[in-house]
Amino acid sequence: MLPDCLSAEGEQRCRRLLAGATARLRARPAAAAVLVPLCSVRGVPALLYTLRSSRLAGRHKGDVSFPGGKCDPADRDVVHTALRETREELGLAVPEERVWGVLRPVHDREKATVVPVLAGVGPLDPESLRPNPEEVDEVFALPLAHLLQEQNQGYTHFCRGGHFQYTLPVFLHGPHRVWGLTAIITEFTLKLLAPGVYQPRLAGPELPRG
């Protein structure tokens, strides 16, 4: 049974579990930060995702992601980066008190550190958002119940030169496939929100090494 992640008790449990990492990681330098928006869509707990614009430069154009981006020297910390980028990309202003904490950082192929910031953004209609068309093609939500169903979970095995290198999770059967760093962060989030429900078929994502 899915726990009530949006209850005051559920929020306090998550804040408590994240407190140590948040205090340790919040002010550390990082290349980028993303907001993991936990919302309620028509009363259903969900995570909010974006589809990056196909007109962007770089390898991540057209990918599913969480709102976020590069840390600016003017940002106070990674939380400020995640909230600023969310406001710029989606027009969604999330007060800092809605931030539950910092999740485990992930690293892209260039070894740059990306810090996920979990926030409870409350009831939301994704269609009411007005994303910046230069950065975002689409905004959509995936219910936690969907993400937690085993038939919607998979893994991609990556090889190089004919040799197995690493495995990453992937979430299927939504409007768009969730993969890469966004899927890793989704997995971290599900483990936190629904520890007794989310049982990945592997012990966890094996991240790229070198």
Side-chain angles (χ1 to χ4, degrees), residues 5 15 29 33-34 41 59 67 70 79 84 89 91 95 97 105 137 150 186 192 197-198 200-201 209-210:
C5 308
R15 284 179 179 268
V34 298
V41 180
R59 67 182 341 155
K70 292 181 180 178
V79 170
R84 175 183 57 76
E89 288 184 14
E97 58 267 23
D137 277 346
E150 191 172 315
T186 297
L192 174 73
V197 180
Y198 183 62
R201 280 168 281 172
R209 300 186 186 89

Side-chain angles (χ1 to χ4, degrees), residues 14-181:
C14 291
R15 284 179 179 268
R16 199 164 50 245
L17 289 170
L18 294 174
T22 300
R24 189 173 71 254
L25 297 168
R26 179 166 183 165
R28 274 195 195 170
V34 298
L35 192 75
V36 183
L38 175 61
C39 58
S40 169
V41 180
R42 291 183 289 277
V44 175
L47 295 180
L48 189 71
Y49 295 89
T50 71
L51 187 68
R52 290 171 61 85
S53 171
S54 55
R55 296 178 296 282
L56 287 170
R59 67 182 341 155
H60 299 299
K61 62 181 180 181
D63 285 356
V64 169
S65 69
F66 289 113
K70 292 181 180 178
C71 295
D72 189 285
D75 294 338
R76 290 192 304 275
D77 52 31
V78 292
V79 170
H80 188 259
T81 298
L83 297 179
R84 175 183 57 76
E85 285 282 344
T86 299
R87 188 173 62 253
E88 291 174 3
E89 288 184 14
L90 302 182
L92 178 63
V94 180
E96 193 166 326
E97 58 267 23
R98 293 280 188 90
V99 171
W100 291 11
V102 173
L103 296 166
R104 185 171 136 200
V106 293
H107 302 88
D108 66 15
R109 290 185 185 180
E110 285 75 40
K111 305 294 186 292
T113 302
V114 180
V115 179
V117 177
L118 179 64
V121 301
L124 194 65
D125 176 7
E127 294 182 8
S128 71
L129 296 173
R130 294 292 175 261
N132 179 348
E134 294 182 7
E135 298 190 65
V136 177
D137 277 346
E138 188 180 332
V139 184
F140 66 98
L142 287 176
L144 296 185
H146 171 95
L147 294 165
L148 289 166
Q149 287 177 347
E150 191 172 315
Q151 66 264 32
N152 298 327
Q153 302 165 5
Y155 285 89
T156 303
H157 302 286
F158 290 84
C159 297
R160 188 178 296 167
H163 298 287
F164 169 78
Q165 281 212 313
Y166 57 92
T167 298
L168 296 181
V170 59
F171 293 88
L172 308 164
H173 307 134
H176 305 282
R177 185 174 61 121
V178 179
W179 66 291
L181 294 187

Side-chain angles (χ1 to χ4, degrees), residues 1-19:
M1 181 168 174
L2 181 64
D4 187 358
C5 308
L6 301 177
S7 68
E9 293 77 15
E11 177 179 343
Q12 288 308 313
R13 181 188 68 84
C14 291
R15 284 179 179 268
R16 199 164 50 245
L17 289 170
L18 294 174

